[in-house]
Amino acid sequence: MGELGQEVCSESFLMDTRAKLFVAGHRGLVGSAIVRKLIESGFENLVLRTHQELDLTRQADVEKFFSDERPKYVIVTAAKVGGIHANNTYPADFIAINLQIQTNVIDASYRNGVKKLLFLGSSCIYPKFAPQPITEEALLTGPLEPTNEWYAIAKIAGIKMCQAYRLQYKWDAISGMPTNLYGPNDNFHPENSHVLPALIRRFHEAKVSGAKEVVVWGTGSPLREFLHVDDLADAVMFLMDKYSDLPHVNMGSGIEVTIKNLAELVKEVVGFEGELKWDPTKPDGTPRKLMDSSRLANMGWKPKISLRDGLIGTYKWYVENYLQ
Ligand SMILES: NC(=O)C1=CN([C@@H]2O[C@H](COP(=O)(O)OP(=O)(O)OC[C@H]3O[C@@H](n4cnc5c(N)ncnc54)[C@H](OP(=O)(O)O)[C@@H]3O)[C@@H](O)[C@H]2O)C=CC1
Ligand SMILES: C[C@H]1O[C@H](OP(=O)(O)OP(=O)(O)OC[C@H]2O[C@@H](n3cnc4c(=O)[nH]c(N)nc43)[C@H](O)[C@@H]2O)[C@@H](O)[C@@H](O)C1=O
């Protein structure tokens, strides 16, 4: 038994490289990193469908896909995702699409003999003023951050659905809660993306156009924890292999920075030489969101990529791939 009393998996996931595995959302930031890691680890039977090929909000289509393909493992990264502005502007999409995707995929996986499923939530599931660093036990202990409560409610429902299916059906569904992520294949939309890709794009465009200043949202005081998506993918493989228990698991780097320091770092990495200007009419969101990831650390996993190195690599990826 593990530290939390979890069942030790009878068969190693990492050795089961011929098993059929479905990564839902494989073209996104997280899904694409997981696919890279799976291929690197020798997995040779991946089942992948683009959004166009299979809309996961359509229950009948999802049912048919699972009964035709019958994957052994499922990793759920498909979701309606965005930064603070997108979450605040499209609350209906964030709650409805996420509830639909996760409900369809989790239920169809159980009904079609999937052996193990991993669902990804987000650090925004925790109360806005949760004690820091935030442990898994802080869930449902206080009001949520208003800019993302719709998305958070859907994610909390996903965790609870995995737990309910484990309790009622003895089915191996687990949940990981990543902190703010970044890396190759991120969303670089000027308004709807997260802060790190948004700033890479804004500083790059300002450098190229010779602009004198770049506007950054909010006050610069909020603290955020960042994890490179390749580290996250590594942690997903680790949990698939080692973890089978009821509680969700925080997945963070333990390193936090203020948005002001992040903006200065992006400015330096991109090589923009003008000024920073703050726009306090834009929301700051949660003041601080540092997760306590000691549950994952105590199982033996730790991140490898520093924020500076990860940022340098992501900027290179943006220039060489996104802009081409
Ligand atoms: N990015 C981050 O900072 C964080 C992400 N997470 C979680 O990680 C997971 C992945 O996020 P991330 O990779 O950033 O998100 P992305 O937006 O990069 O990727 C999501 C993927 O899901 C697909 N998708 C969306 N809707 C549907 C649908 N109806 N049917 C089929 N596919 C669909 C998208 O396809 P298409 O683009 O074609 O619509 C896309 O490929 C999510 O659960 C998210 O909550 C958690 C914490 C932080
Ligand atoms: C992962 C997480 O992502 C979202 O929460 P968030 O952590 O607030 O994410 P964010 O990256 O969008 O912003 C972080 C901070 O950065 C500031 N900021 C400055 N300038 C820009 C900017 O240009 N764009 C953005 N997006 N933010 C900016 C911004 O004002 C805020 O203070 C959730 O909705 C939720 O979906 C979720 O789970």
Side-chain angles (χ1 to χ4, degrees), residues 138-157:
L139 184 64
L140 294 173
T141 57
L144 297 163
E145 154 60 31
T147 55
N148 60 33
E149 66 174 308
W150 321 98
Y151 174 74
I153 291 284
K155 291 294 185 183
I156 294 168

Side-chain angles (χ1 to χ4, degrees), residues 14 37 177-179 181 225-240 242 249-254 293-305:
L14 290 176
K37 191 68 73 181
M177 294 307 115
T179 191
L181 305 170
E225 178 190 21
F226 292 94
L227 180 70
H228 192 279
V229 74
D230 287 344
D231 274 338
L232 187 270
D234 193 53
V236 162
M237 301 290 284
F238 182 88
L239 287 180
M240 285 296 287
K242 298 263 187 297
V249 180
N250 286 348
M251 307 170 89
S253 62
S293 299
S294 50
R295 182 171 287 171
L296 183 57
N298 290 339
M299 285 186 256
W301 185 85
K302 60 172 193 261
K304 299 188 186 76
I305 305 169

Side-chain angles (χ1 to χ4, degrees), residues 22 24-32 49-58 76-82 97-98 100-102 119-124 151 155 176-182 185-187 194 226-227 229 232:
F22 174 47
H26 72 284
R27 295 218 287 203
L29 168 70
V30 172
S32 61
R49 294 289 185 280
T50 63
H51 189 160
Q52 287 67 32
E53 290 163 344
L54 175 63
D55 183 343
L56 295 166
T57 64
R58 294 173 176 265
V76 191
T77 76
K80 172 77 182 168
V81 180
I97 294 172
N98 286 315
Q100 286 164 358
I101 292 175
Q102 70 203 34
F119 169 73
L120 287 176
S122 161
S123 56
C124 73
Y151 174 74
K155 291 294 185 183
M177 294 307 115
T179 191
N180 292 40
L181 305 170
Y182 69 99
N185 287 319
D186 211 336
N187 167 10
H194 291 104
F226 292 94
L227 180 70
V229 74
L232 187 270

